[in-house]
Structure formats: structure tokens, C-alpha cells
Amino acid sequence: MVDLRRAAAIVGVHEHITRYAPDKSELQIQAESIQKALEDAGLEKKDVDGLFCASMSVRNSGLNLADYLNLYPKMVDNTTVGGGSFEFHLSHALNAIHAGRINCAVITYATQARSGGVSVGTGGISRQGHPRLDPSPDSFEELYGLTTVGLYAMIAQRHMHLYGTTSEQLAEVAVTMRRHASLNPEALFRDPITVEDVMRSPVVSTPLHRNDCCVITDGGGAVVVASPELARNCKQKPVWILGAGEAVAHQGAGKRDLMYIAAKQSHAPAFEMAGVTQKDIDMAMIYDSFTITVIETLEDLGFCEKGEGGQYVLNGRIGLGGDMPINTDGGGLSSNHPGMRGLFLLLEATRQLRGQFEGTERQVPDCKIALCHGTGGALGSRHSGGTVILAKD
Amino acid sequence: MTTWNKPLPTINGETKTFWDMARRGTLLIQKCDSCNEFQWYPRGICSNCWSSDIKWFPSTGRGTVWTYTVTNQNRTQGFDTGPYVLALVELEEGVRMFTNIVECDPKDVSIGMSVEVTFQQATPQISVPLFKPAS
């Protein structure tokens, strides 16, 4: 494979801090985020020649966004494979920049899932207003009352059955994310919680409690990705892309072992490309739609053996100050989850690698290499997994 | 016939035989004549070898619960009235399908439990395969 290490860098980021924005359109939140991310990089509208986006509500989202922004990019990519779409975008932008087709890509996302009252996890899998997709999922799934949370819950149930994972272990993930959120002034929920609080929250779909499930917010953000030449002239020190891997996982005609998730396939090429191992990772941004997502992802990324994820997350290991701090912004479980969260993994990893929180408890000390893994779709049926490895300049 | 207010499948060229036989109380899966692999859900090609040489195969309708969840919260019409058991059942032929476990207390469902198919008539054309504890 061509050596793509440091072939492109993240040079600008912006997180739209809103968690509730009924008066702004999705496109407006994206536009504001792109402006601020470009400002962060020291770049301008005229520099942008690649547009990467995904949407929960807009079909042909790249086309509509280019129209709104009055932009004529050389490359448009609205790959939409669920919440992890943005790790795919970064992977694609890396290729396109290395090939010399573009020099400066923006990756963006926004939604009004909260103000729009979208039942992301419990609305059933039927996509109201979307055309049917037969024979599956509509004819062989919808009629059984599948929900997003139900699909993850089934994986959690079997994980407990096979490996002895407990509700308390799942709760530990939620408790750690809340501790991190307490350090993030923008987080939706900041009051510390205990394992008992999680266990006492209502059961949405056994064995998952409400506090095992991510929050629903509005929000958005943008990432600016540049060629090495451009990156060296930006305001911020570049955060380099070292490696990327993409995968999908599905039912495999009813025979695939659903306990292994797409991270199992996507992490190997990312690590290989980056030339690093799990031991080199200083912090990780792990898509935390549900507590079980974190445990399964840590296992299948190779941070621990299959079945040991429940033990792995105990004793502060995944918290700030632990061996493998994850989701230092509070994650989807406590900070924000605007329908899709993959973009925010890139934002926080970049902030950490820049040392933006230096001198505060939120900073991972001496943070040189970070991993982001986005999961999109549902573990129990079909989902995507995008792994990217980033490095400090 | 109980009133069916849940989502309904679409009957199309790929699935007409399946629903015709479900109405008569037979659960069909598919088997490929080229590579002999079973597959679920029904589709127009063999997903293993991409041959079109697929045949309908009557399942025994027996299997075990591979995993399940008791769902308390779903805004979809027909599922919004209380807990129900969503499950993946592994059929004796080795393929797993989504279904609901019925005719038992949700608290009594467990992984590995033996189940058998039962059909609930939703419309005159459509009977939905569900599973109940094996007799």
C-alpha cells in the first residue's frame, strides 16, 4: 500500500456549542461551523475545494449544502453510513488530498434531532417519509418492532450470557463519561452519577437502562483537512492523519457471528498504515451510542481480548488519569449526540493532540497519538466502522 | 383473528412464495443449488456465491433463542403499548432471523431456549411467523 502517513492533516476544527437550536436550520449550523473552523485554520472560503458531509434528514446533502454555501467544490462526498460517516469522510479526504485532486476539504455535520423531537433510539427502525427498502429491512425486520436501542440491547444481552459481563460494568462506562462531561462546560449533562444511578434509571430495552443510552441533542461542527503544503501555512499546528480503515458488518445471510463488530475489520488496516500498535495510543474517541458499544469496540479494536471489555473499563482505566482515557468531552452518553456523533470524535481528538486543555484536568498528558472509531447503524443488524489514527505535529 | 396494527411486509416478486407458504403455516428459507448454503432473509440471489440458482426450503420451524431483549419503549404503532420480546432465533438449519417470542411471560425467555414457529394472521394475505416456547 502507498504510504499515506502524514499525507494530510486536520488544520481547523469547530464544535457548534449549541445543544438545542430550534431557530437555526441544519444548513445554517453547518455554515457557521465551517466559517469558524476555517477561521481556526487561518483559511478562507476560496481555499475549500472538497466538501464532505452526511445528514439524517437531507437526501443529496452534499448538493444542498454546496448550494446553501454557494460553493463549487472539485469533490463532493456525502457518504452516509450512520454515525461513523465522518471517519469515512476523513479517510476519503486523505486519499483525495494525497492524489492531488484537492488541497482543502471541509467535513461537516449538523442536525436538530432534539428540537425536532426525533426518537433516534426508540422510534422504530422504519424511516418515516423514506421510501421502503424491501425485502429487508422493511419486510423482515420492521414488523417485529426493531429499535436501535433494541438491536444494541440484544448484543449486550448475549455479551452478558457469553462472557459474564454485568450491568454494573456497563454502568461504569456511563459514570466515566459523566465524570468527563463535568469538565466540559458545553456538555448537556454535567452532574456526576453513580453506578447505582444508572442501574436505577428506567429499563428501555433489557438489559439497557436509560443511562446506558446516549443523549439526544441538536448540534454540529466542522473539520478542515489540508495537504501538507497548505497545513504548514495554517494558524494551528497540524494534527496529522496516520492511518485509516473502513468496514461494514451485517447479518451475513443470517450466519455471521454478530458479536464481532466492524471495528474488528477496520482497525487492522488503520494500525498497519499508521505503523503503530494499541500500546502507542494515548487516548481514544470511541463512539458511545450505548455503553455496550464502548465495550464491544474496545474489544474489537484489540485493546483487550473478546469478552474482557466489561473488566477492562473498570478501575478508572478509561477515565482521565487512567491507562486509556476515552471520550474526554463526555461522549455521546453525556455531552452531545445529535443523531450522528462521528464528527465530534475528530474534534475532541484534535483538541487533545493540540494540547488545548493544557493545565486543566481535561487534558490527556503528553498526548501524541489518538485513535477515533466511529460506529454507524446498529450492532445487532448492520453497521459501519471507521477507524482513524491521528498524531500530534 | 386479532387485529394487526403493526407494520406489514410488502409482498413482491422476491417474497411472494414466502408469504404464500407462511399463510399455509410453512416457514420457508432459501438454499442455493450451486453452493448448498442456506440464507436468511429471502432474496433474489444467493448471497454466498451470487448464483441465481436458489430454491425455497421448508424449515422445520424449530430453533433456539440466540439473543433477545424485552423492549419497553418503541414509538412505532402496535409496539407502543407495553413490553414485547424482540429476538434473534437460530433455526435448526443454522440461519438466524429476527422475530418476536410470544405465548410466554417475557421474564421466562432466555438465551438457548427452544422455540418453534407459530403464525399470526395479520391480513387475509399475510401471516407473520413468530416463535413460542417449544412444546
Side-chain angles (χ1 to χ4, degrees):
Chain A
M1 188 166 54
V2 179
D3 188 356
L4 289 171
R5 279 177 293 181
R6 296 182 173 79
I10 294 176
V11 294
V13 290
H14 181 73
E15 177 172 334
H16 208 290
I17 62 168
T18 185
R19 300 298 189 258
Y20 185 67
D23 299 329
K24 291 194 177 191
S25 71
E26 175 175 327
L27 293 165
Q28 186 182 2
I29 298 172
Q30 287 178 300
E32 289 174 2
S33 299
I34 292 169
Q35 280 182 303
K36 289 278 173 47
L38 285 169
E39 201 178 298
D40 182 44
L43 296 171
E44 296 171 27
K45 179 183 177 186
K46 65 175 173 47
D47 297 310
V48 177
D49 55 9
L51 185 61
F52 293 69
C53 61
S55 174
M56 296 246 296
S57 51
V58 185
R59 295 176 83 191
N60 306 327
S61 57
L63 198 49
N64 287 291
L65 183 60
D67 181 344
Y68 185 95
L69 296 168
N70 194 6
L71 200 66
Y72 296 95
K74 288 184 199 161
M75 182 167 284
V76 176
D77 179 345
N78 54 216
T79 296
T80 305
V81 287
S85 298
F86 311 92
E87 282 65 40
F88 284 66
H89 295 157
L90 190 69
S91 168
H92 301 173
L94 169 70
N95 288 354
I97 289 170
H98 179 73
R101 297 187 61 190
I102 56 171
N103 282 308
C104 177
V106 293
I107 304 173
T108 184
Y109 174 68
T111 190
Q112 291 161 297
R114 183 168 169 220
S115 54
V118 181
S119 303
V120 180
T122 60
I125 57 153
S126 79
R127 301 288 181 243
Q128 283 170 359
H130 288 219
R132 290 180 62 87
L133 186 59
D134 284 307
S136 186
D138 289 345
S139 282
F140 293 99
E141 296 186 4
E142 195 181 28
L143 72 173
Y144 296 119
L146 270 64
T147 59
T148 301
V149 57
L151 286 162
Y152 282 84
M154 284 196 287
I155 295 302
Q157 191 88 264
R158 190 163 172 87
H159 204 278
M160 290 176 163
H161 173 77
L162 291 176
Y163 309 119
T165 308
T166 65
S167 287
E168 288 82 355
Q169 291 170 343
L170 293 176
E172 190 69 30
V173 177
V175 169
T176 309
M177 294 311 97
R178 184 61 64 87
R179 178 160 76 79
H180 293 171
S182 73
L183 304 171
N184 177 2
E186 318 303 346
L188 182 68
F189 294 130
R190 303 187 62 209
D191 293 336
I193 51 171
T194 63
V195 167
E196 292 69 36
D197 290 334
V198 180
M199 304 281 287
R200 274 199 302 265
S201 64
V203 174
V204 180
S205 198
T206 60
L208 298 181
H209 298 80
R210 181 180 292 162
N211 284 349
D212 286 302
C213 307
C214 63
V215 300
I216 299 173
T217 61
D218 295 347
V223 170
V224 182
V225 189
S227 65
E229 298 71 33
L230 190 57
R232 288 198 190 91
N233 293 313
C234 284
K235 249 167 46 185
Q236 301 276 355
K237 282 202 167 171
V239 165
W240 298 101
I241 305 166
L242 289 190
E246 305 174 21
V248 295
H250 47 70
Q251 295 167 82
K255 288 179 284 196
R256 194 182 75 82
D257 186 352
L258 300 171
M259 297 311 288
Y260 290 89
I261 71 169
K264 183 86 182 159
Q265 300 129 261
S266 67
H267 85 269
F271 276 109
E272 190 191 336
M273 191 190 293
V276 301
T277 71
Q278 286 81 353
K279 287 191 181 64
D280 298 310
I281 304 298
D282 297 310
M283 69 90 61
M285 294 298 296
I286 305 290
Y287 202 106
D288 59 340
S289 44
F290 302 94
T291 52
I292 184 64
T293 320
V294 172
I295 286 175
E296 281 266 309
T297 307
L298 287 167
E299 291 172 356
D300 288 347
L301 287 174
F303 285 104
C304 60
E305 294 297 315
K306 192 73 202 168
E308 290 178 1
Q311 287 290 333
Y312 183 88
V313 300
L314 300 179
N315 305 316
R317 184 183 266 132
I318 61 168
L320 278 157
D323 294 345
M324 181 47 60
I326 71 164
N327 304 350
T328 48
D329 60 344
L333 289 164
S334 281
S335 176
N336 69 334
H337 195 297
M340 298 200 257
R341 189 177 140 80
L343 188 78
F344 303 94
L345 312 185
L346 305 175
L347 300 181
E348 179 70 3
T350 299
R351 294 187 287 242
Q352 287 287 354
L353 290 165
R354 285 178 176 179
Q356 194 168 318
F357 308 112
E358 214 61 73
T360 74
E361 203 184 331
R362 183 165 166 189
Q363 180 65 44
V364 174
D366 199 21
C367 187
K368 294 194 190 78
I369 300 181
L371 176 147
C372 302
H373 183 84
T375 298
L379 297 191
S381 56
R382 65 198 71 78
H383 64 274
S384 62
T387 309
V388 297
I389 299 173
L390 305 173
K392 177 181 177 162
D393 191 35
Chain B
M1 174 182 161
T2 52
T3 314
W4 183 272
N5 62 348
K6 297 171 184 172
L8 285 168
T10 301
I11 299 175
N12 62 22
E14 281 172 283
T15 57
K16 183 175 184 305
T17 304
F18 176 87
W19 293 111
D20 281 349
M21 290 304 286
R23 199 170 64 237
R24 292 174 209 158
T26 298
L27 177 65
L28 291 182
I29 59 174
Q30 290 176 318
K31 189 174 186 187
C32 176
D33 257 3
S34 291
C35 71
N36 287 318
E37 289 282 330
F38 286 110
Q39 71 179 4
W40 178 262
Y41 51 90
R43 64 197 87 176
I45 60 158
C46 167
S47 65
N48 183 49
C49 70
W50 288 1
S51 142
S52 303
D53 215 5
I54 39 171
K55 296 282 187 302
W56 292 104
F57 185 96
S59 166
T60 63
R62 290 191 295 267
T64 54
V65 174
W66 193 79
T67 191
Y68 72 99
T69 179
V70 182
T71 297
N72 295 317
Q73 211 177 318
N74 181 349
R75 290 194 183 181
T76 309
Q77 190 190 15
F79 291 103
D80 51 2
T81 49
Y84 61 93
V85 182
L86 168 64
L88 269 164
V89 162
E90 184 166 278
L91 296 173
E92 284 182 338
E93 293 81 12
V95 292
R96 289 187 293 265
M97 61 183 287
F98 289 111
T99 190
N100 298 129
I101 308 296
V102 296
E103 296 181 32
C104 71
D105 189 325
K107 285 196 279 295
D108 294 334
V109 176
S110 62
I111 291 174
M113 155 183 193
S114 296
V115 290
E116 63 189 28
V117 73
T118 177
F119 290 88
Q120 187 178 345
Q121 191 180 358
T123 71
Q125 287 77 38
I126 296 169
S127 291
V128 176
L130 305 171
F131 284 77
K132 62 179 182 183
S135 50

